[in-house]
Amino acid sequence: MGPTGVEGFMYPNEVELQWSILIVLYPFITGLVAGAFILASLERVFNVSAVKPTYRLALLTALAFLLVAPLPLQLHLGHPERSYEMYLTPHTSSAMAMFGFVYLWYLMVVLLLEIWLDYRVEIVEFSQTARAPWRWVYRILTLGSRNISPRARRIDERVGYVITVIGIPSAFLLHGYVGFIFGSVKANAWWSTPLMPVVFLFSAMVSGIAAVMLIYMAASKVRKVAIDMRCLDTICQYLFYVFVIDFSLEMLDLIHRVYEADESFRSLDFMVHTRLWASQVVLQILVGTVTPLVLLGANQVFKFREGARKAMYAAAGCLTMVGIFAMRWNVVIGGQLFSKSYLGYTSYKLQFATREGLGASIVLMLLPFAILWALLKLLPPWLEEKEPAGI
Amino acid sequence: MEINRRKFLILTTSIAAMTSSGEPSATSSPGAYDVHAHWWGMTIDIDKCIGCGNCVRACAVENSVPEGFYRTWIERYEVPPGEDATPVVASPDGGIHGFPPMQGADAKRFFVPKLCNQCAMSPCVQVCPVGATFVSPDGVVLVDEKYCLGCRYCVQACPYGCRYIHPVKKTVDKCTLCYHRITQGLTTACCEACPTGARQLADLKNPSDPVHEFLRNNKIQVLKPQMATRSKTFYRALDGAVR
Amino acid sequence: MSSRLKDAAHLIPLVLVVLAGVAVFLLFRQVLVPKTFGQYGHYRAAALDDIRVRPVSFAGQATCAMCHDEVATTRSKGKHRGVSCEACHGPLAKHADDPAAMKPKKLAGTGLCQGCHKADKAKPAYFPQVVPAEHSGGAECLSCHQPHSPQMQ
């Protein structure tokens, strides 16, 4: 008998999975970043004023998750101490090599800059009013200038607009490119499709919008303030539209595979009906996609009471997160469960207390929330509600 | 300096190689070998393979291959009759202990030795983010284990399952086509140990290498030609069932 | 004009921070990229030498024949002419380097022969193979065959 968990024939080096749950987290987390940023840009560039209450929250959420995004990759490397080589000698033909640069561009040029420009007025105020240790932090953050005259603010506003305009394609690039890492592997029939970057992008928007919505609802509850229902309704409307596109793309991929039925089809079909049934068909499609679509769709057609709406949105948001996580899981783990000989299947043994285990993943998933909490303390996004800082 | 007889032999062959190719090589140490004067590959004759496992054992010894991983391995195919039969494939421990004998004439059976295909357009090299794996000027796909991050992208990109992560070094590992041997005039360990000559090292740049005759006189196929990797491991008598 | 510049002055430190970052990056690149990187292609050319100096275990047929010319001649006339010494005797580079330091082990005989010649329907039909019990009734292969030239006269 062959190794445990193996059915049929695997190439002998194929039995062990190469990419673990950490690599599932990576596209999940970067997806949240890209989605949250795109939600923020709705207000700024597309003038959707209804979502304004979540603008700054979305930016801080994006930053919190972006700071954590490289950690699962780093933890997964055999030699994390050599990761700087990606910056020194990036191989231009490698999709992965560009990650470092796309990441730095997005972090430094887009997110940090946009947040800094948007918060500059508060930072300058806090640098004068805050108590001793914090005052110094804010003073460093002012970068030495206290000029918050209306003209200076107008310049900030204009620069910020340009950055957001640059930021949207950057967010698309960040996540579309993560999809390309998988979609460009011609050796792997489960991954290799030009739809992969597009599917990743739309699912990123779905998960990012849902996450910001949930965080907004939770934060309102904690702060005991009323939820702006116009904002929530609008967010869920966008969530519904984007989700419909995302689901259509995924179904297009599925139909295309079934119809073409190439050499990989039998093997992949078997895998979906057995090893991926629970995570793909049940969790991803039925629980994580169809159910939230029905909940959100119902709200586009019928007018429910406020309490019911909140409950439906919260449920839809949570199920969406489950669905998108399952989607990342099915791509990353599913792509490694079948043999490239199409003659067999292996299984993924998720452990808990290992470097790449469930324990590490849970910590990595909680970390962004800790960072977000700190960011919310440092740069409270709610001030606007009391005294509009706008121009 | 003490020169023992094996090194003496190697020295004389490389001097001969040097004088025949005219110029000394660009990389002068160790030994004189012109990286630009060769283009390495391998030929495998399925009809000659008896599944003895000698190649797998030799490779493991020569290259200190960790247990449970394979730079080369043997698959035994059993194709049942019928126009749409799925082959039954086995490779117990990569065939390192050979295969238990089979009886009966009810199926088509044969052995397929596998190793890195030394692709000229190698998908594994394409995806390496840092340049830790590469096609050498003489056509061998190699890994720089001092530079490899261990990101495993190349393992995913190889269509043939030839790469693995070395459990101790934590870097990717694979067949080097015994680069340390072929650059000093020896053949690979697997070819040296193969009792039937099923495997032959081939220098495609050498006009007098028997490989040219082999490719001309036989029906040749590479593994997964649809992958268009320009594989340089050429199979004779490769059945369509082989993946 | 000058007042507009003054109102944008707070952006200057920002630009400086970015430029300093780029400068530090370029400096690190200059220092840390291995010297031979890029000599042949997008990799460290010195890696070729690192790989070439790995030790060999199999000495190779030509080396064996340098001393064991008598056996080599016998072998070259028999059916096993294509089988290299180390295919049966195992890796012996250490022995070739210093014959006194490492002596080849005595071989197993029958078991070793069966590694190749035991009947198996997966083996090519042309290849000489036997069901040992039928072929010799369990007798040792070497009682009839001479391994370096196995054909019986």
Side-chain angles (χ1 to χ4, degrees):
Chain A
M1 272 285 66
T4 50
V6 172
E7 187 183 342
F9 172 71
M10 303 288 291
Y11 295 135
N13 293 327
E14 258 183 344
V15 175
E16 203 183 304
L17 260 70
Q18 300 298 325
W19 284 352
S20 64
I21 187 170
L22 293 184
I23 308 299
V24 178
L25 287 189
Y26 161 62
F28 184 64
I29 292 176
T30 50
L32 294 175
V33 176
F37 183 82
I38 286 165
L39 179 62
S41 61
L42 268 183
E43 192 269 333
R44 184 122 197 191
V45 177
F46 300 110
N47 292 318
V48 183
S49 57
V51 300
K52 196 166 174 103
T54 59
Y55 169 66
R56 287 178 150 192
L57 187 63
L59 282 184
L60 295 183
T61 304
L63 180 60
F65 280 94
L66 189 65
L67 289 173
V68 177
L71 295 186
L73 293 183
Q74 197 69 12
L75 205 57
H76 164 265
L77 289 181
H79 284 270
E81 79 283 2
R82 295 180 185 169
S83 57
Y84 70 91
E85 290 167 3
M86 291 250 244
Y87 288 109
L88 296 185
T89 57
H91 195 199
T92 47
S93 71
S94 167
M96 198 183 273
M98 291 302 123
F99 174 72
F101 292 95
V102 173
Y103 177 82
L104 268 195
W105 166 263
Y106 195 75
L107 175 69
M108 299 306 218
V109 180
V110 177
L111 258 188
L112 283 183
L113 209 57
E114 177 154 348
I115 292 173
W116 186 74
L117 288 170
D118 199 69
Y119 272 99
R120 224 172 57 78
V121 174
E122 280 94 336
I123 290 173
V124 171
E125 277 171 14
F126 291 153
S127 73
Q128 287 152 338
T129 59
R131 271 177 289 131
W134 290 108
R135 194 186 307 168
W136 295 104
V137 174
Y138 289 115
R139 209 163 276 183
I140 292 167
L141 286 177
T142 60
L143 291 179
S145 166
R146 288 185 186 174
N147 185 357
I148 47 170
S149 66
R151 273 155 88 181
R153 286 203 224 164
R154 203 165 304 140
I155 290 173
D156 286 353
E157 183 69 21
R158 221 172 286 162
V159 175
Y161 179 82
V162 172
I163 286 168
T164 316
V165 170
I166 299 170
I168 295 171
S170 300
F172 275 59
L173 182 69
L174 177 73
H175 209 69
Y177 142 90
V178 173
F180 187 76
I181 286 185
F182 294 95
S184 63
V185 177
K186 70 177 167 188
N188 189 315
W190 187 242
W191 292 344
S192 177
T193 159
L195 275 179
M196 194 63 96
V198 195
V199 169
F200 261 55
L201 192 58
F202 278 93
S203 57
M205 288 201 252
V206 169
S207 65
I209 294 172
V212 174
M213 180 191 78
L214 289 174
I215 290 172
Y216 174 63
M217 290 177 86
S220 302
K221 187 131 204 166
V222 170
R223 294 171 58 237
K224 299 194 175 66
V225 282
I227 291 174
D228 181 338
M229 282 312 284
R230 192 169 77 100
C231 170
L232 203 61
D233 287 334
T234 313
I235 290 178
C236 285
Q237 203 181 355
Y238 279 102
L239 179 59
F240 177 69
Y241 294 154
V242 179
F243 215 160
V244 167
I245 299 175
D246 177 44
F247 190 50
S248 311
L249 285 168
E250 284 186 42
M251 287 304 108
L252 173 61
D253 183 43
L254 185 74
I255 292 166
H256 197 261
R257 282 170 190 274
V258 173
Y259 192 81
E260 272 200 349
D262 69 6
E263 59 160 357
S264 66
F265 179 68
R266 250 194 235 185
S267 179
L268 299 183
D269 187 50
F270 181 81
M271 181 175 76
V272 171
H273 281 91
T274 52
R275 296 186 182 213
L276 281 189
W277 184 260
S279 62
Q280 172 114 356
V281 179
V282 178
L283 267 189
Q284 183 188 329
I285 298 180
L286 295 178
V287 175
T289 306
V290 176
T291 314
L293 272 178
V294 168
L295 287 173
L296 295 169
N299 274 288
Q300 312 306 313
V301 184
F302 306 108
K303 196 79 189 154
F304 293 99
R305 279 181 302 106
E306 192 176 310
R309 252 149 66 210
K310 277 186 201 163
M312 287 167 90
Y313 290 156
C318 291
L319 292 178
T320 300
M321 300 307 285
V322 170
I324 301 293
F325 185 83
M327 182 263 182
R328 310 295 189 224
W329 175 279
N330 293 324
V331 169
V332 176
I333 303 296
Q336 303 172 83
L337 292 182
F338 66 97
S339 170
K340 286 172 188 161
S341 69
Y342 304 131
L343 293 170
Y345 309 87
T346 187
S347 46
Y348 175 48
K349 300 168 196 82
L350 179 62
Q351 287 159 319
F352 186 81
T354 52
R355 192 169 74 139
E356 300 196 38
L358 186 62
S361 313
I362 292 171
V363 171
L364 282 174
M365 243 7 262
L366 292 177
L367 196 55
F369 291 99
I371 295 176
L372 181 62
W373 179 81
L375 284 173
L376 292 177
K377 289 276 163 205
L378 187 69
L379 303 168
W382 348 98
L383 288 184
E384 285 191 281
E385 290 165 17
K386 280 178 248 163
E387 38 160 338
I391 295 148
Chain B
M1 198 179 96
E2 199 191 355
I3 295 182
N4 59 44
R5 64 198 82 195
R6 187 172 58 79
K7 288 194 182 127
F8 171 75
L9 187 84
I10 289 160
L11 207 60
T12 48
T13 50
S14 52
I15 287 168
M18 206 170 82
T19 44
S20 64
S21 67
E23 272 179 293
S25 77
T27 46
S28 50
S29 73
Y33 170 78
D34 184 357
V35 279
H36 300 291
H38 308 271
W39 189 243
W40 297 106
M42 191 173 272
T43 64
I44 292 176
D45 190 341
I46 302 276
D47 280 347
K48 285 187 178 172
C49 181
I50 57 169
C52 64
N54 248 16
C55 51
V56 188
R57 291 189 291 276
C59 176
V61 171
E62 179 75 34
N63 297 296
S64 312
V65 179
E67 201 188 322
F69 299 93
Y70 305 90
R71 290 186 178 199
T72 185
W73 68 95
I74 309 171
E75 295 167 6
R76 185 187 61 202
Y77 269 73
E78 202 184 349
V79 190
E83 47 91 37
D84 193 29
T86 310
V88 180
V89 188
S91 185
D93 297 318
I96 197 163
H97 309 300
F99 292 80
M102 300 191 93
Q103 311 297 327
D106 51 329
K108 174 164 65 177
R109 299 192 184 93
F110 50 87
F111 296 104
V112 185
K114 289 196 175 171
L115 74 162
C116 170
N117 291 270
Q118 312 298 350
C119 310
M121 280 173 56
S122 126
C124 55
V125 169
Q126 183 184 32
V127 301
C128 177
V130 296
T133 187
F134 52 88
V135 182
S136 68
D138 39 358
V140 184
V141 178
L142 296 171
V143 175
D144 181 351
E145 58 181 44
K146 288 185 189 159
Y147 211 66
C148 172
L149 305 174
C151 75
R152 308 176 176 218
Y153 201 12
C154 57
V155 186
Q156 306 286 10
C158 172
Y160 315 100
C162 297
R163 290 173 167 251
Y164 55 88
I165 291 286
H166 194 289
V168 178
K169 295 175 184 167
K170 304 288 180 200
T171 54
V172 76
D173 208 30
K174 66 176 287 294
C175 164
T176 61
L177 205 65
C178 284
Y179 197 68
H180 60 300
R181 298 176 59 87
I182 63 175
T183 51
Q184 51 179 317
L186 295 166
T187 188
T188 66
C190 57
C191 290
E192 182 69 36
C194 178
T196 64
R199 294 163 170 254
Q200 299 290 341
L201 176 69
D203 182 358
L204 296 145
K205 263 193 189 170
N206 177 0
S208 59
D209 194 300
V211 64
H212 304 291
E213 213 171 312
F214 182 85
L215 296 181
R216 189 168 57 239
N217 294 340
N218 294 292
K219 312 290 185 287
I220 300 294
Q221 185 54 288
V222 293
L223 293 175
K224 298 191 182 181
Q226 72 277 17
M227 286 291 154
T229 59
R230 279 182 58 203
S231 159
K232 289 194 270 87
T233 297
F234 302 101
Y235 285 86
R236 191 193 154 272
L238 186 72
D239 193 86
V242 177
R243 271 99 169 245
Chain C
M1 191 66 204
S2 66
S3 71
R4 183 172 290 180
L5 261 180
K6 218 180 93 194
D7 283 327
H10 62 280
L11 296 176
I12 293 171
L14 205 67
V15 175
L16 290 181
V17 168
V18 172
L19 289 180
V22 172
V24 168
F25 168 71
L26 291 175
L27 189 75
F28 267 89
R29 225 191 117 133
Q30 203 61 34
V31 176
L32 288 174
V33 174
K35 280 198 183 61
T36 59
F37 203 97
Q39 189 183 333
Y40 292 134
H42 192 83
Y43 57 92
R44 205 170 57 91
L48 292 178
D49 296 333
D50 291 352
I51 296 167
R52 286 184 66 193
V53 296
R54 291 178 190 167
V56 303
S57 295
F58 285 84
Q61 188 57 28
T63 308
C64 302
M66 280 175 76
C67 298
H68 303 283
D69 46 348
E70 205 172 305
V71 185
T73 312
T74 313
R75 187 194 71 116
S76 66
K77 289 176 184 154
K79 278 251 178 185
H80 275 172
R81 75 183 80 85
V83 184
S84 73
C85 303
E86 288 164 302
C88 297
H89 291 277
L92 288 166
K94 278 197 188 118
H95 169 72
D97 283 347
D98 182 359
M102 188 230 182
K103 290 275 178 204
K105 280 197 202 103
K106 188 103 178 99
L107 293 183
T110 302
L112 183 75
C113 303
Q114 288 185 6
C116 291
H117 293 289
K118 200 173 192 173
D120 179 355
K121 285 291 181 194
K123 284 177 186 169
Y126 81 90
F127 186 76
Q129 38 194 313
V130 298
V131 178
E134 294 169 9
H135 179 72
S136 62
E140 290 285 311
C141 305
L142 298 189
S143 56
C144 299
H145 299 278
Q146 203 281 86
H148 293 129
S149 182
Q151 188 105 9
M152 294 205 300
Q153 302 304 319

